[in-house]
Amino acid sequence: MLSNVPMVRAGDVLVVCVERHLTEMDTQRFVDMASDVLPGVRVAFLEGVSGLAVFRPDAATSEAESE
């Protein structure tokens, strides 16, 4: 059912893509809700597109070490 939902963990950045401009209040409300349910996950917003993505800062380091 949720196979296309990215999984996040502490230290990740959840990239939230929205088609329209969000008010500061809406943005902060989303960040607050995300912080409550996803501790240690940071949130970044991109306007003009829709979707979600996850940036895992340590992924590049882990991949380079395994080669």
Side-chain angles (χ1 to χ4, degrees):
M1 180 174 137
L2 298 175
S3 62
N4 62 343
V5 175
M7 304 310 270
V8 296
R9 63 181 183 206
D12 289 349
V13 177
L14 177 62
V15 181
V16 181
C17 306
V18 293
E19 294 178 346
R20 61 178 177 81
H21 174 75
L22 293 178
T23 66
E24 238 181 274
M25 188 169 71
D26 287 339
T27 301
Q28 190 58 52
R29 190 169 37 206
F30 184 94
V31 169
D32 292 343
M33 287 188 304
S35 296
D36 287 344
V37 297
L38 302 169
V41 173
R42 294 171 290 161
V43 179
F45 290 90
L46 293 176
E47 295 178 356
V49 292
S50 62
L52 290 173
V54 175
F55 171 68
R56 185 155 291 144
D58 63 346
T61 305
S62 298
E63 289 173 9
E65 290 173 358
S66 66
E67 292 178 357

